[in-house]
Amino acid sequence: MTDLDEAEAKLEALLDIINSSARQAIAEYKNTGHGVPSADATAFHLLDSATDTIALKKAIRLLEGAYHQLSAILAPPQHTVTNFVLNYNWACIDVALRARIADVLDKHPEGLSVDRLAEAVNLDKSKTARILRALSLMGCFKEVERDVFANTRLSLILKSTNNTGCFAGLHSRGVTKYAGVLYESMTDEEFSRSHEPDKAPRVLVSRREGITGNYWKMINNDDERREAFHRAMLGLNEMVGASAVLHHYPWDNISSVVDIGSGIGTFSTPLAKMFPHLKITNQDLPEVLLEAQNAWEKNAPEALLDGRVEFVPFNFLEDVPVVGKDVYYVRLRHIIHNWPDHEAATILRNIRKVMGPNSRVLIHDCVLFHTVQEPDIGTDGLSTAPEPMLPNFGAGAHRSYQMDMTMWLIHNTKERTLGELKILGASVGLVLTQVYDLVETMVVEFRITQS
Ligand SMILES: C[S@@+](CC[C@H](N)C(=O)[O-])C[C@H]1O[C@@H](n2cnc3c(N)ncnc32)[C@H](O)[C@@H]1O
């Protein structure tokens, strides 16, 4: 085959992947008995709130990866690279969120004139229309007739009650500012070579704003920020489909779970509801657990009344958790990625000290899979993309690699590869025993290394 034939064969292969993955996604929607979502939908599809969407996510990962690769090959490079930076969707989303545009439009499903909308949100009408037109290109809001806008299934995410919208707001308002000083943080004498959390790009911005103290203090000292953060965690959970862990881990076979860094119970509340036999311990900083108790009283009072749930404050960098439980869910879900190796090892070492012979630690996080994998680690049985896609699904893994950047910008930390997690576990006497691949996140199970 000549090089030219080969190049064309690769394009055809990408087209085939786009076709088959889109058909797979359509089938997933139809399997619910509620048909496929439409571009004109003004309500969520049943599958949008399902807790196990692994099959859909697998199809979308292929679809997004293949169409970005196809378009990057076929479009002039000037277009593609300019598209990377000529992208103010985040700023438009920020306006829509702060002005609560989706909340106003929600009361007018047939659409509202931009005159009345702009008046309701106290913004200039022609500027408001430009924001909405920019977002409508992407299917977020719709111009139903000239200068009349309505919500779509995408813009419903921007309603003030939506947790994923809250997560988006945390990024559009804060993380974008930190991204603006990334190069500076890589060249500043004090920050450039440090991997400590107090040298994150965020700190450079915070200092200028007169904000001091670590991230968790900053959040916990401010009621509004704390509430927004915990809602954003619920949103992150929905966005990455992390609740699939409820369906794919053998919870029936265990009796006690400690949720380390539980937050307000994003994971443990649905776990208690779905598996009433489990005894659950929530462990986090004292001020967070006070909020967690309120959330549990509101969302799952029955579990509190049964006495199946306890709240034990601790500092995971200094204290050990409660002793001898079956599972230490270090969901470390979205915890380990908040800390550099030294602190991450301290957290795991503290857990290791109280584990019994049958205890396991579950690290539930994004797991990066680079296109060139460590030779001694290989793919470890994880799915890789078909040729000619990049093995790690390329743009299909967009959110995981952007989350890695988010961790850098906020905490000066990172998402890890499976190889890095293995090394981290081994450094404190834990061995990897199983990986549950939930597409955007993975649950990596460790047990005590047998000597
Ligand atoms: C990213 S949130 C994850 C919350 C929850 N696991 C989830 O997935 O929604 C990190 C959690 O770690 C907690 N945390 C931070 N530093 C801590 C410490 N030193 N000791 C205990 N918990 C801590 C925070 O209060 C927060 O609830």
Side-chain angles (χ1 to χ4, degrees):
M1 211 191 269
T2 67
D3 283 356
L4 283 178
D5 289 343
E6 198 176 321
E8 204 173 325
K10 284 185 177 171
L11 292 177
E12 290 296 338
L14 287 170
L15 278 170
D16 286 347
I17 295 170
I18 291 171
N19 198 297
S20 59
S21 57
R23 290 195 183 287
Q24 178 63 40
I26 289 169
E28 288 303 318
Y29 282 106
K30 284 170 109 174
N31 282 345
T32 63
H34 288 255
V36 293
S38 102
D40 297 324
T42 52
F44 287 126
H45 189 279
L46 187 76
L47 208 50
D48 297 340
S49 55
T51 48
D52 183 5
T53 52
I54 286 192
L56 176 67
K57 278 185 163 291
K58 279 189 175 160
I60 299 300
R61 179 169 64 177
L62 283 168
L63 181 63
E64 289 185 338
Y67 76 61
H68 275 282
Q69 196 170 339
L70 185 68
S71 138
I73 297 169
L74 293 179
Q78 297 90 327
H79 289 205
T80 308
V81 173
T82 311
N83 281 348
F84 296 158
V85 283
L86 212 50
N87 183 341
Y88 304 112
N89 290 337
W90 65 268
C92 296
I93 292 279
D94 191 48
V95 171
L97 283 168
R98 291 163 85 163
R100 302 198 168 193
I101 288 176
D103 294 74
V104 175
L105 290 182
D106 204 38
K107 298 191 193 94
H108 303 272
E110 71 299 341
L112 184 65
S113 76
V114 73
D115 289 11
R116 287 180 54 205
L117 173 62
E119 194 183 315
V121 298
N122 197 22
L123 293 175
D124 177 83
K125 80 174 181 196
S126 67
K127 290 179 181 172
T128 304
R130 285 165 71 186
I131 298 275
L132 292 179
R133 287 200 183 103
L135 290 174
S136 296
L137 287 186
M138 316 308 291
C140 186
F141 299 109
K142 186 173 178 199
E143 193 164 6
V144 286
E145 56 186 88
R146 174 84 202 211
D147 284 332
V148 177
F149 289 90
N151 270 334
T152 59
R153 174 168 163 250
L154 268 63
S155 68
L156 291 179
I157 295 286
L158 307 182
K159 278 174 63 181
S160 55
T161 46
N162 190 286
N163 295 325
T164 306
C166 193
F167 177 77
L170 226 58
H171 275 69
S172 63
R173 239 159 285 171
V175 186
T176 48
K177 278 196 283 183
Y178 315 148
V181 299
L182 182 59
Y183 180 69
E184 204 179 329
S185 77
M186 292 178 74
T187 49
D188 178 277
E189 207 179 320
E190 184 188 346
F191 284 67
S192 59
R193 310 279 161 188
S194 169
H195 293 271
E196 292 305 312
D198 67 349
K199 299 290 182 287
R202 173 188 61 79
V203 177
L204 211 55
V205 173
S206 296
R207 272 191 198 169
R208 286 178 194 158
E209 293 177 347
I211 301 170
T212 52
N214 80 26
Y215 184 73
W216 303 109
K217 279 211 180 92
M218 177 179 92
I219 285 187
N220 288 330
N221 289 344
D222 178 333
D223 290 349
E224 209 176 309
R225 267 186 215 258
R226 192 174 57 238
E227 203 216 316
F229 177 81
H230 289 302
R231 280 197 49 217
M233 285 306 100
L234 286 164
L236 171 64
N237 192 52
E238 290 161 18
M239 190 263 284
V240 297
S243 295
V245 65
L246 298 170
H247 303 270
H248 293 273
Y249 192 77
W251 300 108
D252 280 327
N253 305 339
I254 56 174
S255 58
S256 55
V257 178
V258 185
D259 190 2
I260 307 261
S262 57
I264 56 168
T266 323
F267 157 70
S268 47
T269 310
L271 183 73
K273 285 182 182 235
M274 208 159 146
F275 299 95
H277 71 282
L278 286 175
K279 293 214 175 316
I280 293 177
T281 310
N282 292 288
Q283 297 212 258
D284 205 300
L285 296 167
E287 52 277 27
V288 177
L289 284 191
L290 285 178
E291 195 161 331
Q293 266 161 297
N294 292 335
W296 275 82
E297 268 161 32
K298 198 165 126 214
N299 301 325
E302 68 288 353
L304 293 186
L305 287 176
D306 289 356
R308 292 189 283 125
V309 182
E310 59 176 352
F311 301 86
V312 183
F314 88 143
N315 177 342
F316 54 43
L317 295 172
E318 292 169 6
D319 311 320
V320 296
V322 293
V323 181
K325 302 287 181 172
D326 291 340
V327 164
Y328 292 85
Y329 185 69
V330 203
R331 175 151 160 168
L332 287 193
R333 181 161 90 165
H334 308 314
I335 302 260
I336 284 296
H337 74 174
N338 292 156
W339 298 95
D341 286 346
H342 176 261
E343 284 82 353
T346 302
I347 296 169
L348 290 175
R349 193 175 296 108
N350 280 335
I351 298 170
R352 164 77 181 74
K353 285 178 192 158
V354 296
M355 286 170 73
N358 294 320
S359 305
R360 347 151 196 185
V361 180
L362 305 184
I363 296 184
H364 189 172
D365 248 327
C366 287
V367 175
L368 294 187
F369 173 53
H370 298 319
T371 46
V372 181
Q373 198 64 356
E374 298 96 311
D376 55 329
I377 303 280
T379 60
D380 235 322
L382 302 179
S383 343
T384 53
E387 294 268 2
M389 291 178 70
L390 296 176
N392 67 356
F393 300 89
H398 170 84
R399 281 175 301 281
S400 298
Y401 279 78
Q402 297 300 309
M403 277 303 286
D404 180 51
M405 291 300 300
T406 303
M407 288 306 111
W408 177 2
L409 294 168
I410 300 179
H411 300 293
N412 210 13
T413 59
K414 60 183 180 182
E415 301 295 353
R416 290 178 170 83
T417 63
L418 213 46
E420 288 171 323
L421 287 175
K422 275 185 184 173
I423 292 167
L424 189 62
S427 74
V428 300
L430 294 171
V431 61
L432 189 154
T433 43
Q434 185 112 23
V435 179
Y436 297 83
D437 183 354
L438 309 179
V439 186
E440 275 195 53
T441 61
M442 286 187 201
V443 178
V444 187
E445 184 191 77
F446 290 87
R447 293 186 191 233
I448 295 175
T449 312
Q450 303 298 326
S451 46

